Amino acid sequence: METANLILIKLVEIAILFFEFMGAIVIVLAGARGILDLLRKSSQTRLNLAKGMAMGLEFKIGSEILRTVLVRDLAEIFIVA
């Protein structure tokens, strides 16, 4: 049982890193696209930027939700909150 718990913890830690990384990439790409749209004077600049930022933040929230799986005591819950 202890081995299964350690495997689960490692998998969750890897997933957290993956979601954090993907969120950062999406936010950077959305910002770059927003700059390009702004230079092209696109009417969809704000909408595209908002959609990209929202998707990036969804990845970040997903990583925070996974982080709560690893919480072991009350002090860690306050840190996550």
Side-chain angles (χ1 to χ4, degrees), residues 23-72:
I25 287 175
V26 169
I27 290 171
V28 167
L29 291 176
R33 182 179 179 190
I35 291 170
L36 288 175
D37 285 348
L38 184 65
L39 293 174
R40 292 179 186 158
K41 296 183 172 73
S42 172
S43 62
Q44 298 292 313
T45 302
R46 282 184 165 175
L47 182 62
N48 290 336
L49 185 59
K51 283 182 180 179
M53 294 294 169
M55 183 181 291
L57 290 175
E58 286 176 19
F59 277 105
K60 296 295 220 173
I61 289 170
S63 72
E64 289 301 320
I65 290 170
L66 281 176
R67 198 177 313 274
T68 61
V69 171
L70 301 179
V71 171
R72 298 193 202 310

Side-chain angles (χ1 to χ4, degrees), residues 1-2 7-10 17 22-24 29 35 45 48 59 62 69 71 74 76 79 81:
M1 189 66 174
E2 185 66 29
I7 291 171
L8 178 64
I9 288 172
K10 288 298 177 190
L17 287 174
M22 289 304 296
L29 291 176
I35 291 170
T45 302
N48 290 336
F59 277 105
V69 171
V71 171
L74 194 57
E76 290 180 15
I79 291 171

